[in-house]
Amino acid sequence: MMAESQEILLQKIKEQGDLVRKLKAAKEANEKAKKTVKEYDLKEIDRHLCSYSYICGYVPSNCDVELYKSIGKNKDFDRYKYLRRWWYHMRSYSDSEIELFPMTVLPTKMYIENNVCDDQIQEEVKKLLALKKQLTVEDVVPQKFTLKTPKGTRDYNPQQMAIRNNVLQKIITVFKKHGAECIDTPVFELKDVLTGKYGEDSKLIYDLKDQGGEILSLRYDLTVPLARYLAMNKITTLKRYHIAKVYRRDNPAMTRGRYREFYQCDFDIAGQYDLMVPDAECLKAVTEILDALDIGKYVLKVNHRRLLDGMFEACGVPADKFRPTCSSVDKLDKSPWEEVRTEMINEKGVSPDAADRIGKYVLLNGGVELAEKLLKDEKLSNTKAAIEGLEGIMLLLKYCELFGIKDKIVFDLSLARGLDYYTGVIYEAVLTEPIKIGNEEQSVGSIAGGGRYDNLVGMFDTKNKQVPCVGVSIGVERIFSVLEAKLAAGEMRVRTNEVDVYVASAQKNFLEERMKICTELWNAGIKTEQSYKKNPKMLTQLQHCEDSCIPLAVVLGESELKRGMVKIRDIVSRQEEEVQREDLVKELNARIASLNKRGINGV
Amino acid sequence: MMAESQEILLQKIKEQGDLVRKLKAAKEANEKAKKTVKEYDLKEIDRHLCSYSYICGYVPSNCDVELYKSIGKNKDFDRYKYLRRWWYHMRSYSDSEIELFPMTVLPTKMYIENNVCDDQIQEEVKKLLALKKQLTVEDVVPQKFTLKTPKGTRDYNPQQMAIRNNVLQKIITVFKKHGAECIDTPVFELKDVLTGKYGEDSKLIYDLKDQGGEILSLRYDLTVPLARYLAMNKITTLKRYHIAKVYRRDNPAMTRGRYREFYQCDFDIAGQYDLMVPDAECLKAVTEILDALDIGKYVLKVNHRRLLDGMFEACGVPADKFRPTCSSVDKLDKSPWEEVRTEMINEKGVSPDAADRIGKYVLLNGGVELAEKLLKDEKLSNTKAAIEGLEGIMLLLKYCELFGIKDKIVFDLSLARGLDYYTGVIYEAVLTEPIKIGNEEQSVGSIAGGGRYDNLVGMFDTKNKQVPCVGVSIGVERIFSVLEAKLAAGEMRVRTNEVDVYVASAQKNFLEERMKICTELWNAGIKTEQSYKKNPKMLTQLQHCEDSCIPLAVVLGESELKRGMVKIRDIVSRQEEEVQREDLVKELNARIASLNKRGINGV
């Protein structure tokens, strides 16, 4: 009975705890919401700025910065002229100046009050503590937290690691075949390095806590660290690959291979070279990788940022709306044209006519003949950027033909790519068929992407010195998830260890003999295991060999050893053969070589 | 003139900026200092707690928690009885209760005021802003920040990567030889997973910023994530290796291979097995690794936590002082006994007599004969823990003899290891000679360490179910730094790419021919490179081959091609030979095979 009332009490505490947590979360959400532009009273701010230079007092402070960032330049400045004066003034400050502004608190009259107040939380916390006091000290068991990995991350167990290493090895082989060198960078960068590189996606960056010292963030991709590396070391040519984990606080979809911590496999060529030569080689490398991985039919879509710009220009989009319009086009792989059109018109401020003209172009895809046709297109042929892009595409397609991959390339005007930093060719590899796993079909879609980014390195150089770059990133997590699904469906098998020989014995107190044999085999470089028990059962030992796919066992027995013999057992055929004790290493090496030759061993 | 006065202004701004930064840093340092126990006015707090239950008002708050943590239990509670009452009360709260305490501000009377005041900072900031206003907007160039990697971290360039991959490959080979499987875990864990595992070192953990959602920290080692993995997946046996970066906010000493981001290579055996069998195999694996790396003579020091406990008990140290005393002993590899003795007496509360008794034991090291002698030692032989430890050591030494590594093992009573979680055997590999690099000698010291930790997994299990574990971690960063120093001194060379064939031509407009040959070689799996320029100079192409140690070049010429021939050039001997165009792949493969056989190719 006592225990039961305790349980009820614990339940009550849990419920009250949940309530407090919810209130706190609501408060936090409200505070976040406060900072969005909708919640600000722009009229009030404008009135304030009529008599004051800044939001708080006579020097700019963090309040000005926060407000400035939230308001954006799309506001109706015609209605708020003091706000406009202040806004343009704020815009003139550099980041390093802003850093030095004093910290103050935004006057509450400038935003709508939040409705969960601290008092309410305090009230509920008091109730919670009162409940807890009813528990005697002895009742408070050490509370274990939920055992899990952080949201959007996962462990790799030995089978998953075997798959992962196998995939990565194939990719590395191709990178090396093309002469790439390997580099690595720290998992975090100074926050400033990442600032201003990812546009809207910057909100997905993981920041480290300020524990005194530098302000750090986890890397978001491997491209920006590469650019930082090149600029910092004043390197002007490099062909490198980099395989490492990157971090994005996105909404994970783990079954489809979308994680918050995930691998990128990047291959990039930096240097001032002739047009499209390295660009085409990146595509060649991608085909070799996808062929080696053998996960289904694919196409490589290519397009050119200059052509997109030229196309927008020709369709009558103002230059300052190229990037927003481009990010609308980028959604065409997921949304129908009608939706994208609506977004362009309503959110990006493109005129309906211009949108319709764009709509005609982005439907197009093909090969050289399409590029040739577009070069004669009335509108495009009058736009310098479009001609530049089309000539680039034609050269790229020609090189692809020389590389023997023409049939895998599609020139696709709807390909736009999300990232801001691309300046030339862009590409994306897409699996064209869903993958069948068991009775289910899994649609994989985009599996690699990349492009040319000629201005990124210069952003890090004090003299704005550019290093042109082109590269591609393989989306291995999707490949892992397909292969893991196949494994789970029993359609493939992997070995998680590479042991060739198990040293077994049915004899009691034979641990020392086993240890001697193991030592001999290890010293001869043979991958060997034994039981860590003194007197393991024979059946257990042989079972372990079968479970772990170990092909050979050395079986020790007292009588054989006395005659200077040992038995070698083939685990699959169960055949045993006696060999001379002193020939053991030689015999085993011969058998292992023969197994490897027949491809029976290994993953 | 104009430019010059601008420069002076910029210089002034820089100086003023530095001043502001210094003031802010001083303020921050002061605020940190405030929180150390020395700065608290204990008398004042005691007086306050005479009339109040808590520091602020009638419910416990974060102030109580902060103060409680800072004060520790070593305080002179006899003098402050209200403080004592409050301290024991605070101790009764669980972490999850503490989490729910409201946030308040510690009354200033309770600590000594800091002397850099905010006003002063504001004053200097104003001056800075005034200076900046003198700059016209056009003068404000986009300010670039210092380009660097975060403190204590570094990039790996291709040469360093080649060294790193080479070292890791040798280590992995040994791990696999012993049948280890591979796992991986996320780079960050829920903070709770790491809490309470590292004792004093917990302050070195990197926390992530609270961006809403879970509270995360970067992993501090690979052992705690392994324990979490085992408990979470209810795995009771596993032999795994894990090679990954870990993170510690320590003071870096980068030239000696001490970083804030660094690799660990861990090999651990989890499972309920017979005494010392897996423990001895860990030592065997370490010897194989150090032999394979061939970086100098070494010894493996071994000791046993139970023996240390028994020794402390026998010397008259109270049980609650075992761990602090142990961490003093741990300093013996860096400090002389006299210093360690002083610390034991003054800081750890060990009596001088007990310290002197400990001093006699920790001088001892040897082999089986020492263990045998100690088993007969009057004091130790009366202590259960000591006997258990000594018997363990004797068994371990016996197994090491069977593994043929007896001459590398030293039973050393001064070995203590810092981490709290060890429960049995502990070990450490130490290079016994400094490494000579150029004219300098570099002392490397500890290069691997580990031990048995039988209670760690249970800390994560709701039913406290234990999984006994033993493991070892290879300190590869020190190995990298030695090899990198050798590389810098010109005592070794590494290849950063694996290209076998370079496709070259002196002919103008031969890019397309080169591309065709490259395609053929890539498709045949031959590691091939060419220039990305349309018309590269012959000398530049051959120079690249020499710089990159590429052994072979295919040299294309119009006249040869017309005759259906191509030239193969041996870069080192500079000999050229014409072969049939259609035999090119076959010819190259034969030459590459022969180069590989002669060991000329590769790193």
Side-chain angles (χ1 to χ4, degrees):
Chain A
M1 280 304 286
M2 187 60 187
E4 210 168 75
S5 71
Q6 280 292 334
E7 239 171 69
I8 294 166
L9 185 56
L10 283 168
Q11 182 59 29
K12 274 190 194 163
I13 287 174
K14 191 184 163 297
E15 282 163 12
Q16 184 68 21
D18 287 345
L19 177 59
V20 169
R21 267 186 293 275
K22 261 184 214 157
L23 284 172
K24 284 189 176 177
K27 187 188 158 205
E28 198 185 333
N30 264 313
E31 272 166 2
K32 271 190 197 149
K34 267 191 333 203
K35 287 178 187 157
T36 67
V37 65
K38 282 169 203 143
E39 302 290 318
Y40 286 116
D41 193 342
L42 292 183
K43 207 169 155 191
E44 180 64 46
I45 295 171
D46 191 61
R47 198 181 304 146
H48 172 86
L49 289 171
C50 163
S51 21
Y52 295 93
S53 300
Y54 302 101
I55 301 296
C56 302
Y58 303 98
V59 287
S61 72
N62 66 311
C63 287
D64 297 87
V65 179
E66 257 176 61
L67 214 55
Y68 165 75
K69 282 184 183 159
S70 306
I71 285 175
K73 65 169 174 179
N74 294 323
K75 276 303 107 188
D76 189 357
F77 283 147
D78 290 340
R79 279 173 63 199
Y80 306 120
K81 59 179 177 170
Y82 301 107
L83 188 65
R84 179 172 60 189
R85 182 259 308 151
W86 168 86
W87 192 89
Y88 281 103
H89 177 58
M90 285 311 297
R91 197 177 63 169
S92 72
Y93 284 106
S94 72
D95 283 354
S96 50
E97 283 172 289
I98 284 172
E99 207 188 299
L100 296 166
F101 291 172
M103 303 295 279
T104 53
V105 178
L106 190 64
T108 45
K109 61 173 177 174
M110 293 188 185
Y111 51 81
I112 292 139
E113 265 301 81
N114 60 355
N115 32 29
V116 180
C117 84
D118 286 349
D119 293 353
Q120 196 182 345
I121 292 179
Q122 295 254 0
E123 199 59 40
E124 299 301 337
V125 168
K126 268 185 203 162
K127 282 187 203 161
L128 176 62
L129 291 174
L131 279 171
K132 286 196 179 181
K133 275 198 188 128
Q134 295 179 38
L135 284 174
T136 50
V137 176
E138 288 75 16
D139 293 322
V140 183
V141 287
Q143 304 219 357
K144 308 257 174 173
F145 47 90
T146 319
L147 258 194
K148 65 184 285 293
T149 60
K151 184 179 177 188
T153 69
R154 60 153 172 180
D155 297 318
Y156 286 83
N157 67 29
Q159 289 195 312
Q160 292 163 334
M161 278 304 282
I163 288 175
R164 182 176 111 182
N165 288 338
N166 194 14
V167 168
L168 295 184
Q169 200 46 59
K170 284 177 181 166
I171 293 172
I172 291 172
T173 301
V174 173
F175 289 161
K176 284 186 177 171
K177 203 164 81 180
H178 287 265
E181 301 180 306
C182 185
I183 71 160
D184 195 15
T185 63
V187 80
F188 40 60
E189 296 276 350
L190 299 184
K191 187 171 173 56
D192 283 344
V193 168
L194 307 188
T195 302
K197 309 298 185 302
Y198 302 107
E200 283 178 17
D201 287 346
S202 297
K203 63 180 184 295
L204 303 180
I205 293 173
Y206 275 98
D207 293 330
L208 267 75
K209 192 169 154 186
D210 181 2
Q211 294 171 284
E214 299 160 336
I215 304 299
L216 308 175
S217 300
L218 296 186
R219 63 182 164 212
Y220 183 84
D221 65 8
L222 303 178
T223 312
V224 169
L226 169 66
R228 193 263 307 147
Y229 173 83
L230 293 173
M232 186 173 130
N233 298 292
K234 308 214 175 296
I235 295 168
T236 54
T237 63
L238 181 70
K239 177 161 57 180
R240 80 90 177 82
Y241 70 93
H242 189 183
I243 296 184
K245 287 177 179 172
V246 301
Y247 299 87
R248 300 184 184 178
R249 294 180 63 251
D250 213 339
N251 277 329
M254 318 233 286
T255 49
R256 300 198 51 231
R258 264 185 44 202
Y259 293 89
R260 289 182 157 198
E261 173 186 59
F262 61 97
Y263 263 92
Q264 283 200 334
C265 302
D266 280 23
F267 173 81
D268 292 81
I269 302 172
Q272 189 72 55
Y273 296 122
D274 277 310
L275 225 53
M276 292 296 162
V277 186
D279 313 56
E281 185 166 336
C282 289
L283 288 173
K284 171 70 175 144
V286 171
T287 62
E288 288 172 17
I289 287 166
L290 296 181
D291 291 345
L293 292 174
D294 193 23
I295 48 162
K297 286 188 187 166
Y298 60 89
V299 291
L300 302 180
K301 296 182 184 175
V302 302
N303 199 2
H304 200 293
R305 273 283 166 93
R306 295 289 290 152
L307 171 58
L308 282 167
D309 288 352
M311 179 180 90
F312 295 142
E313 189 189 335
C315 293
V317 177
D320 65 333
K321 284 172 183 152
F322 284 2
R323 281 286 157 277
T325 313
C326 193
S327 77
S328 290
V329 171
D330 186 44
K331 290 172 185 157
L332 276 173
D333 57 341
K334 291 188 190 88
S335 314
W337 165 248
E338 268 315 308
E339 271 176 36
V340 171
R341 182 180 179 277
T342 310
E343 184 185 294
M344 276 186 189
I345 296 166
N346 294 351
E347 292 176 36
K348 307 298 170 75
V350 174
S351 74
D353 283 356
D356 290 336
R357 284 191 284 268
I358 293 171
K360 278 182 193 143
Y361 286 118
V362 295
L363 286 176
L364 304 174
N365 60 68
V368 184
E369 75 299 336
L370 174 61
E372 280 167 353
K373 200 182 109 192
L374 290 175
L375 265 178
K376 292 173 201 145
D377 180 276
E378 200 185 333
K379 280 196 288 284
L380 296 182
S381 60
N382 283 319
T383 321
K384 199 178 148 231
I387 295 170
E388 210 182 292
L390 285 167
E391 285 176 349
I393 289 287
M394 287 188 59
L395 191 60
L396 181 72
L397 294 177
K398 184 176 135 195
Y399 290 155
C400 285
E401 188 169 359
L402 287 164
F403 282 153
I405 55 169
K406 187 188 157 194
D407 56 325
K408 283 160 182 162
I409 312 283
V410 175
F411 168 36
D412 186 330
L413 275 86
S414 75
L415 178 68
R417 301 283 300 159
L419 288 168
D420 270 3
Y421 52 61
Y422 292 121
T423 54
V425 62
I426 44 179
Y427 16 68
E428 196 160 292
V430 183
L431 292 199
T432 47
E433 291 169 358
I435 291 183
K436 218 180 158 188
I437 296 155
N439 292 321
E440 282 181 41
E441 290 201 329
Q442 192 172 330
S443 153
V444 176
S446 171
I447 207 153
R452 176 163 284 283
Y453 48 101
D454 285 348
N455 301 334
L456 190 58
V457 178
M459 290 173 77
F460 292 108
D461 189 88
T462 36
K463 287 169 188 157
N464 214 40
K465 192 166 176 274
Q466 301 296 352
V467 178
C469 296
V470 63
V472 69
S473 182
I474 312 293
V476 281
E477 297 292 344
R478 297 196 179 185
I479 300 170
F480 297 159
S481 79
V482 167
L483 295 178
E484 282 170 28
K486 283 193 177 185
L487 184 77
E491 289 176 18
M492 64 182 272
R493 227 190 136 173
V494 293
R495 260 197 89 174
T496 57
N497 73 82
E498 299 181 3
V499 174
D500 287 319
V501 179
Y502 193 89
V503 178
S505 179
Q507 209 85 39
K508 289 248 170 187
N509 299 318
F510 241 49
L511 175 61
E512 297 190 10
E513 289 302 329
R514 286 192 277 125
M515 280 183 159
K516 281 187 215 160
I517 299 277
C518 282
T519 306
E520 197 177 326
L521 303 192
W522 284 327
N523 291 350
I526 296 172
K527 295 167 195 156
T528 308
E529 254 189 344
Q530 64 151 340
S531 168
Y532 293 123
K533 302 225 170 175
K534 267 181 166 170
N535 298 310
K537 292 199 183 105
M538 194 62 194
L539 203 63
T540 318
Q541 296 174 75
L542 294 179
Q543 190 59 48
H544 176 84
C545 294
E546 288 192 11
D547 293 346
S548 307
C549 308
I550 301 173
L552 300 170
V554 172
V555 182
L556 301 182
E558 205 167 5
S559 60
E560 291 95 343
L561 270 184
K562 273 184 188 153
R563 287 187 285 114
M565 304 296 280
V566 288
K567 263 192 284 192
I568 299 179
R569 181 185 171 105
D570 183 305
I571 296 296
V572 175
S573 71
R574 301 188 179 186
Q575 282 181 332
E576 294 190 345
E577 191 189 346
E578 274 195 7
V579 301
Q580 295 283 339
R581 170 72 184 77
E582 65 261 33
D583 293 338
L584 181 60
V585 166
K586 205 178 68 186
E587 268 294 327
L588 287 171
N589 271 331
R591 282 172 180 246
I592 294 163
S594 133
L595 286 170
N596 288 340
K597 216 171 180 178
R598 280 148 59 205
I600 291 172
N601 213 355
V603 179
Chain B
M1 281 305 286
M2 188 64 188
E4 211 168 74
S5 72
Q6 281 291 333
E7 239 171 68
I8 293 166
L9 186 56
L10 283 168
Q11 181 58 30
K12 274 190 195 162
I13 288 174
K14 191 185 163 298
E15 281 164 11
Q16 185 67 19
D18 287 344
L19 177 59
V20 169
R21 267 186 293 275
K22 261 185 215 156
L23 284 172
K24 284 188 176 178
K27 188 189 159 206
E28 198 187 330
N30 264 313
E31 271 166 3
K32 270 190 201 150
K34 269 190 335 205
K35 285 177 187 159
T36 67
V37 66
K38 282 171 202 141
E39 303 289 317
Y40 286 116
D41 193 341
L42 293 184
K43 208 168 156 192
E44 181 64 46
I45 296 171
D46 192 59
R47 200 180 302 147
H48 172 87
L49 290 171
C50 163
S51 22
Y52 296 92
S53 299
Y54 302 101
I55 300 296
C56 302
Y58 303 102
V59 288
S61 72
N62 65 311
C63 288
D64 298 86
V65 178
E66 257 176 61
L67 213 57
Y68 165 74
K69 281 185 185 159
S70 307
I71 284 174
K73 67 170 173 176
N74 295 322
K75 275 301 106 187
D76 191 355
F77 284 146
D78 289 340
R79 278 173 64 200
Y80 306 120
K81 61 179 176 169
Y82 302 106
L83 188 65
R84 179 171 62 187
R85 182 258 309 149
W86 167 88
W87 192 91
Y88 281 103
H89 178 57
M90 286 310 298
R91 198 176 64 169
S92 73
Y93 284 105
S94 72
D95 282 355
S96 51
E97 283 173 289
I98 284 171
E99 207 187 299
L100 296 167
F101 290 171
M103 303 294 280
T104 53
V105 177
L106 189 63
T108 45
K109 61 173 179 176
M110 292 187 186
Y111 51 77
I112 292 136
E113 266 300 79
N114 60 355
N115 31 28
V116 181
C117 85
D118 286 348
D119 293 352
Q120 196 183 344
I121 293 178
Q122 295 253 1
E123 199 61 39
E124 300 299 337
V125 168
K126 269 185 203 161
K127 281 187 204 162
L128 177 61
L129 291 173
L131 280 171
K132 287 195 177 183
K133 274 195 189 133
Q134 295 178 36
L135 284 173
T136 51
V137 175
E138 288 75 15
D139 295 321
V140 183
V141 287
Q143 304 222 355
K144 309 260 172 170
F145 48 88
T146 318
L147 260 194
K148 64 186 286 294
T149 60
K151 184 178 176 189
T153 69
R154 59 153 173 181
D155 297 318
Y156 286 83
N157 68 28
Q159 289 195 313
Q160 292 162 335
M161 278 305 282
I163 288 175
R164 182 176 112 182
N165 287 338
N166 193 13
V167 167
L168 295 184
Q169 202 44 59
K170 284 179 180 165
I171 292 171
I172 291 172
T173 301
V174 172
F175 289 162
K176 284 186 176 171
K177 203 163 81 179
H178 287 265
E181 301 179 306
C182 185
I183 72 161
D184 194 16
T185 63
V187 79
F188 40 60
E189 296 277 350
L190 299 184
K191 188 171 172 58
D192 284 345
V193 168
L194 307 189
T195 302
K197 308 299 184 303
Y198 301 107
E200 281 178 19
D201 287 347
S202 296
K203 64 179 183 293
L204 303 181
I205 293 173
Y206 276 97
D207 292 332
L208 267 75
K209 192 169 154 186
D210 181 2
Q211 295 171 286
E214 299 160 336
I215 304 299
L216 308 175
S217 302
L218 296 186
R219 62 183 163 210
Y220 183 84
D221 65 9
L222 303 177
T223 311
V224 169
L226 169 66
R228 192 265 306 146
Y229 173 83
L230 293 172
M232 186 174 130
N233 298 293
K234 308 217 174 296
I235 296 168
T236 53
T237 63
L238 181 71
K239 177 161 56 182
R240 81 91 178 81
Y241 70 93
H242 189 184
I243 295 185
K245 287 176 179 173
V246 301
Y247 298 87
R248 300 184 183 177
R249 295 181 64 251
D250 213 338
N251 277 328
M254 319 233 286
T255 50
R256 301 199 51 231
R258 262 184 47 200
Y259 293 89
R260 287 180 160 201
E261 173 186 59
F262 60 97
Y263 263 92
Q264 284 201 332
C265 302
D266 281 23
F267 173 82
D268 293 81
I269 303 171
Q272 189 72 57
Y273 296 122
D274 278 309
L275 224 54
M276 292 295 161
V277 185
D279 313 54
E281 186 167 335
C282 289
L283 288 173
K284 171 70 175 143
V286 172
T287 63
E288 288 172 19
I289 287 167
L290 296 181
D291 290 345
L293 292 174
D294 193 23
I295 49 161
K297 286 187 187 167
Y298 61 89
V299 291
L300 301 180
K301 295 182 185 175
V302 301
N303 199 2
H304 200 293
R305 273 284 165 94
R306 294 289 289 152
L307 171 57
L308 282 167
D309 287 352
M311 181 179 89
F312 296 142
E313 188 189 335
C315 293
V317 177
D320 65 333
K321 285 173 183 150
F322 284 3
R323 279 289 156 277
T325 313
C326 194
S327 78
S328 292
V329 171
D330 186 42
K331 290 171 186 158
L332 276 174
D333 56 342
K334 291 191 190 85
S335 315
W337 165 248
E338 267 315 308
E339 273 175 35
V340 171
R341 182 181 179 275
T342 309
E343 182 185 294
M344 277 186 189
I345 296 167
N346 294 352
E347 293 175 35
K348 307 299 171 75
V350 174
S351 74
D353 283 355
D356 290 335
R357 282 190 287 268
I358 293 171
K360 278 184 192 141
Y361 285 119
V362 294
L363 286 176
L364 303 174
N365 62 66
V368 185
E369 73 300 335
L370 174 61
E372 279 167 354
K373 200 182 108 194
L374 290 174
L375 265 178
K376 291 173 202 146
D377 179 275
E378 200 185 335
K379 280 196 286 285
L380 297 181
S381 60
N382 283 319
T383 322
K384 201 177 148 232
I387 295 170
E388 209 182 292
L390 285 167
E391 285 175 350
I393 289 288
M394 286 188 60
L395 191 59
L396 181 72
L397 294 177
K398 183 177 136 194
Y399 290 157
C400 285
E401 186 169 1
L402 287 163
F403 282 154
I405 55 169
K406 185 188 157 193
D407 55 326
K408 283 158 182 162
I409 311 282
V410 174
F411 166 36
D412 185 331
L413 274 85
S414 75
L415 178 69
R417 302 282 301 156
L419 289 166
D420 271 4
Y421 51 60
Y422 291 121
T423 55
V425 62
I426 44 179
Y427 17 67
E428 197 160 290
V430 183
L431 292 199
T432 48
E433 290 169 0
I435 291 183
K436 217 178 159 189
I437 296 155
N439 293 321
E440 281 180 42
E441 291 202 328
Q442 192 173 333
S443 152
V444 177
S446 171
I447 206 153
R452 176 163 284 282
Y453 49 101
D454 285 349
N455 300 335
L456 190 58
V457 178
M459 290 173 79
F460 292 107
D461 190 87
T462 36
K463 286 169 188 158
N464 213 40
K465 195 168 173 273
Q466 301 297 353
V467 178
C469 296
V470 64
V472 71
S473 183
I474 311 293
V476 281
E477 296 293 344
R478 298 199 177 184
I479 300 170
F480 296 160
S481 79
V482 168
L483 295 179
E484 282 170 26
K486 283 192 177 186
L487 184 77
E491 289 175 19
M492 64 183 273
R493 229 191 135 171
V494 293
R495 261 197 88 172
T496 58
N497 74 82
E498 299 181 5
V499 174
D500 287 320
V501 179
Y502 193 88
V503 178
S505 179
Q507 209 85 40
K508 288 248 167 187
N509 300 317
F510 242 50
L511 175 62
E512 297 190 10
E513 289 303 329
R514 286 192 275 126
M515 281 183 159
K516 280 188 215 159
I517 300 277
C518 282
T519 307
E520 197 177 327
L521 303 192
W522 284 327
N523 291 350
I526 296 173
K527 296 167 196 155
T528 308
E529 254 190 344
Q530 64 151 338
S531 168
Y532 294 122
K533 303 224 169 176
K534 268 181 166 170
N535 298 311
K537 292 198 184 106
M538 194 61 194
L539 203 64
T540 318
Q541 297 174 76
L542 295 179
Q543 190 59 49
H544 176 85
C545 293
E546 287 191 11
D547 293 346
S548 306
C549 309
I550 301 173
L552 301 169
V554 173
V555 182
L556 301 182
E558 206 167 5
S559 61
E560 290 95 343
L561 270 184
K562 272 183 188 156
R563 288 187 283 117
M565 304 295 281
V566 289
K567 263 193 283 192
I568 299 179
R569 181 186 170 103
D570 183 305
I571 296 296
V572 176
S573 71
R574 301 185 178 187
Q575 282 181 333
E576 294 190 346
E577 190 189 348
E578 275 195 7
V579 301
Q580 295 281 339
R581 171 73 185 76
E582 65 260 35
D583 294 338
L584 181 60
V585 165
K586 204 178 70 187
E587 267 294 327
L588 288 172
N589 272 330
R591 282 171 181 248
I592 292 163
S594 132
L595 285 170
N596 288 341
K597 214 170 179 178
R598 279 149 57 204
I600 290 171
N601 214 356
V603 179

